[in-house]
Amino acid sequence: MKRKEKVINLKPSYIPLEVTLVKRRKNKTDIRNDLKISSSTLAKISAGEFVAMTVIAQLCDYLDCRIEEIVEFVPNDTDDQP
């Protein structure tokens, strides 16, 4: 029997990260160089895709902020939902 995949109706938005970077006078190049976060992970963040919680924790520690200043969940407005 095939399992039905659960639909997630939320997606991450990293707009709070952009705001926090401006406040801290940092940019994504600083993140890549200082934290050694891969370009592919930064691309996922730019595309609004899910990344590992360890990455979120590293960003919070590096920027000395709370998770709400890195990521928020917004409605997933895709048309391919059932």
Side-chain angles (χ1 to χ4, degrees):
M1 183 186 317
K2 199 172 189 180
R3 282 180 56 160
K4 188 174 183 180
E5 195 170 312
K6 183 159 174 73
V7 175
I8 299 174
N9 294 321
L10 296 174
K11 64 181 180 179
S13 168
Y14 298 96
I15 292 173
L17 172 60
E18 301 294 336
V19 173
T20 302
L21 286 172
V22 170
K23 287 180 182 177
R24 303 291 196 279
R25 293 192 167 115
K26 299 280 185 184
N27 58 45
K28 289 182 182 174
T29 302
D30 295 323
I31 291 171
R32 189 180 68 231
N33 294 337
D34 296 344
L35 298 181
K36 308 298 185 225
I37 291 178
S38 70
S39 298
S40 62
T41 299
L42 288 175
K44 284 184 177 184
I45 289 172
S46 294
E49 297 176 11
F50 287 95
V51 298
M53 282 299 291
T54 53
V55 173
I56 303 296
Q58 285 179 311
L59 289 169
C60 288
D61 185 47
Y62 177 71
L63 296 169
D64 190 28
C65 66
R66 297 171 48 97
I67 192 169
E68 296 89 357
E69 296 174 84
I70 302 293
V71 63
E72 65 183 347
F73 288 105
V74 296
N76 191 355
D77 295 330
T78 59
D79 294 332
D80 60 334
Q81 293 187 14

